[in-house]
Amino acid sequence: ENRPIPEPGPNEVLLRMHSVGICGSDVHYWQHGRIGDFVVKDPMVLGHEASGTVVKVGSGVTHLKPGDRVAIEPGVPREMDEFCKTGRYNLSPTIFFCATPPDDGNLCRYYKHSASYCYKLPDNVTFEEGALIEPLSVGIHACKRAGVTLGSKVFVSGSGPIGLVNVIVAKMMDLSASRLQKAKEVGADFTIQVKNETPQEVASKVESVLGCMPEITVECTGVQACIQAGIYATRSGGTVVLVGLGPEMVTVPIVNAAVREVDVRGIFRYCNTWPVAIALLASKRINVKPLVTHRFPLEKALEAFETTKRGEGVKVML
């Protein structure tokens, strides 16, 4: 509350924040102080799923003006390196990223950001939808990496927020009991409740309900058994995309994948997805509004984080 209002640089904009979603990574930093090699060493502002209103623009900014409603892409390259030149700026080792140590996020009242990574929202796209573009972008990037196209048979493993956005995107590109119900609501043709089955049994269930083995599996849990099931479930010659992050080392049936020419691909965040996401939302081809299940004012941020930590609902929005 007592942070000074920042002054935007020549190519930056100052924003009054409106909607910020809470991500599992925010909760993980709050609880554990690190994610892999990213360690919180100093006080850090959380939040990277965000939208707001432009308050002030830097001297070099021409495409935005005060009053514009924008969605914020949290990853901004610091230099034009080889990854930026090939359009894969998300892989740049020096990228700035909101709420990844040591970079502050945007869960605050006023925030400044690179103007090039603020995208104007059409009048028919809400602030909440603008904030949801960040998790939606994970789904878009994953489905691009997987090669999802019209008619693809897709198995999405996991029905948390990222699993659900992958269902939404896969269906558009055409793809917990309460979360499985939400998956049905947003477009899943079939859902499977996994209890004590082996990965091979889960794979058989997937083939049974789909009527065939899926060409594409999008694994959103990071759980070892789910990754194993994803490989076993995928049709020979197909693709498994690993979205969920779990332990650094996992045991997987890599020989099974190799001899069946199943490609295993990773994703790291996203790139070049905000324009696509805005177009999808503005055209009403997709609907992300059902994902928001809880809303809190900034003053109740702790309660919002506690709600996310308990795994209640799907997406908590501040």
Side-chain angles (χ1 to χ4, degrees):
E1 289 298 328
N2 298 319
R3 286 162 56 88
I5 297 175
E7 190 67 25
N11 298 310
E12 295 177 327
V13 294
L14 176 65
L15 305 163
R16 180 170 175 82
M17 301 307 298
H18 189 287
S19 297
V20 182
I22 298 178
C23 174
S25 66
D26 293 319
V27 174
H28 202 277
Y29 279 127
W30 170 48
Q31 290 292 299
H32 304 285
R34 69 181 300 156
I35 295 178
D37 294 333
F38 297 109
V39 182
V40 180
K41 296 178 180 176
D42 298 297
M44 183 181 76
V45 178
L46 293 169
H48 60 270
E49 306 176 1
S51 63
T53 303
V54 175
V55 175
K56 187 184 289 188
V57 302
S59 59
V61 178
T62 57
H63 70 290
L64 293 172
K65 64 184 185 304
D68 284 346
R69 301 161 59 254
V70 299
I72 301 167
E73 180 172 0
V76 180
R78 285 189 169 97
E79 58 182 80
M80 181 56 70
D81 59 16
E82 59 186 304
F83 298 103
C84 294
K85 289 175 183 175
T86 56
R88 302 181 75 177
Y89 57 86
N90 57 311
L91 301 179
S92 174
T94 63
I95 196 168
F96 166 93
F97 197 89
C98 293
T100 295
D103 303 327
D104 279 332
N106 43 37
L107 183 52
C108 49
R109 297 213 183 275
Y110 289 95
Y111 173 74
K112 70 174 182 178
H113 199 69
S114 169
S116 296
Y117 291 81
C118 293
Y119 301 82
K120 190 172 179 180
L121 292 173
D123 292 341
N124 68 338
V125 177
T126 67
F127 281 113
E128 280 195 354
E129 288 176 304
L132 288 168
I133 289 175
E134 196 279 340
L136 178 60
S137 286
V138 177
I140 293 171
H141 190 55
C143 288
K144 280 183 177 178
R145 291 274 291 154
V148 176
T149 57
L150 186 67
S152 295
K153 297 290 193 302
V154 182
F155 168 36
V156 177
S157 174
S159 57
I162 296 302
L164 294 176
V165 295
N166 274 281
V167 170
I168 291 170
V169 174
K171 285 294 289 189
M172 182 281 308
M173 285 178 162
D174 158 8
L175 201 65
S176 94
S178 63
R179 286 183 166 183
L180 286 178
Q181 180 55 41
K182 185 66 73 172
K184 291 288 277 188
E185 287 175 28
V186 301
D189 294 311
F190 310 100
T191 59
I192 300 171
Q193 180 100 45
V194 178
K195 293 180 180 169
N196 298 313
E197 295 91 343
T198 66
Q200 291 94 331
E201 288 168 343
V202 172
S204 295
K205 271 192 169 184
V206 171
E207 181 176 8
S208 177
V209 299
L210 267 181
C212 63
M213 296 174 78
E215 303 115 31
I216 293 162
T217 293
V218 184
E219 208 301 297
C220 301
T221 71
V223 175
Q224 178 172 286
C226 296
I227 299 172
Q228 293 170 351
I231 290 173
Y232 288 131
T234 305
R235 184 182 308 178
S236 296
T239 303
V240 177
V241 176
L242 303 178
V243 181
L245 299 177
E248 184 177 357
M249 293 290 179
V250 294
T251 301
V252 294
I254 203 69
V255 173
N256 178 283
V259 299
R260 297 194 301 111
E261 296 191 5
V262 173
D263 293 343
V264 180
R265 298 183 176 186
I267 73 159
F268 186 60
R269 298 169 179 161
Y270 33 66
C271 59
N272 306 303
T273 54
W274 258 252
V276 174
I278 289 171
L280 291 172
L281 291 168
S283 66
K284 304 304 177 189
R285 289 184 66 190
I286 61 171
N287 179 19
V288 295
K289 291 178 180 177
L291 297 180
V292 181
T293 54
H294 294 74
R295 295 172 177 86
F296 294 90
L298 187 58
E299 294 77 11
K300 294 188 177 179
L302 183 58
E303 190 177 334
F305 271 76
E306 294 283 5
T307 301
T308 306
K309 180 186 170 187
R310 291 193 297 269
E312 294 178 16
V314 179
K315 178 56 65 177
V316 176
M317 191 72 65
L318 283 153

